[in-house]
Amino acid sequence: MGKRILNEALSKIVNAERRGKATAQLQPVSNMIASFLQVMKNRGYVKDIQVSDMQRVGKITVELQGRIKDCRTVMYRQDLKAKEIAEYKTRTLPTRQWGYIVISTPNGVLDHEEAMRQNVGGQVLGYFH
């Protein structure tokens, strides 16, 4: 259930980006979506994220920057050890210069570079480039 909601949210972002919109409204929301978007914001792919009324119905407003080419969720369960992250990155991402894999770790939701720096593994949520 959680990955399907994340997949719908990422599809809305990519579609809004392709149509040239400045913002995207995401609903329903979850903590996983908010932390995935926070990773995107930290890496400069999204300008700003505003979460409103998370306890009730909730809505996330995402200000787009125009850098997202593709953003997907890995729908099957893919667990990675810390040593396997570099190999998975070369298999999944199109080039070495851009793109990030988002991993749910015991230290929180991190991109692949931060997970390798902290030497932790986890479950792959998705990727963006």
Side-chain angles (χ1 to χ4, degrees):
M1 179 87 175
K3 287 200 175 186
R4 188 173 34 193
I5 293 172
L6 179 62
N7 193 29
E8 290 174 8
L10 296 179
S11 296
K12 285 180 185 179
I13 290 172
V14 170
N15 290 340
E17 189 83 49
R18 288 182 180 162
R19 293 193 63 176
K21 303 254 179 163
T23 62
Q25 300 282 333
L26 305 179
Q27 204 174 12
V29 299
S30 69
N31 290 332
M32 188 184 341
I33 295 172
S35 52
F36 194 102
L37 292 174
Q38 190 64 41
V39 170
M40 292 177 77
K41 181 182 175 185
N42 292 343
R43 293 301 178 175
Y45 281 78
V46 171
K47 277 186 191 173
D48 193 27
I49 304 161
Q50 296 173 351
V51 180
S52 61
D53 201 17
M54 187 72 144
Q55 300 301 322
R56 297 187 50 108
V57 177
K59 186 188 307 184
I60 298 179
T61 304
V62 181
E63 290 184 33
L64 303 173
Q65 197 160 333
R67 288 190 60 194
I68 302 171
K69 300 284 184 248
D70 192 19
C71 193
R72 294 192 183 171
T73 305
V74 176
M75 295 300 282
Y76 54 91
R77 184 179 176 106
Q78 180 68 46
D79 295 325
L80 290 180
K81 297 177 184 173
K83 298 174 185 175
E84 300 170 347
I85 293 174
E87 178 187 336
Y88 186 80
K89 177 189 76 119
T90 56
R91 273 196 329 242
T92 306
L93 296 177
T95 65
R96 293 181 183 192
Q97 284 127 1
W98 66 78
Y100 295 94
I101 297 171
V102 181
I103 303 170
S104 175
T105 67
N107 298 351
V109 177
L110 306 172
D111 59 65
H112 70 274
E113 290 179 353
E114 190 66 30
M116 287 193 300
R117 195 172 304 120
Q118 294 181 12
N119 197 26
V120 293
Q123 186 176 357
V124 177
L125 295 178
Y127 61 90
F128 59 92
H129 58 88

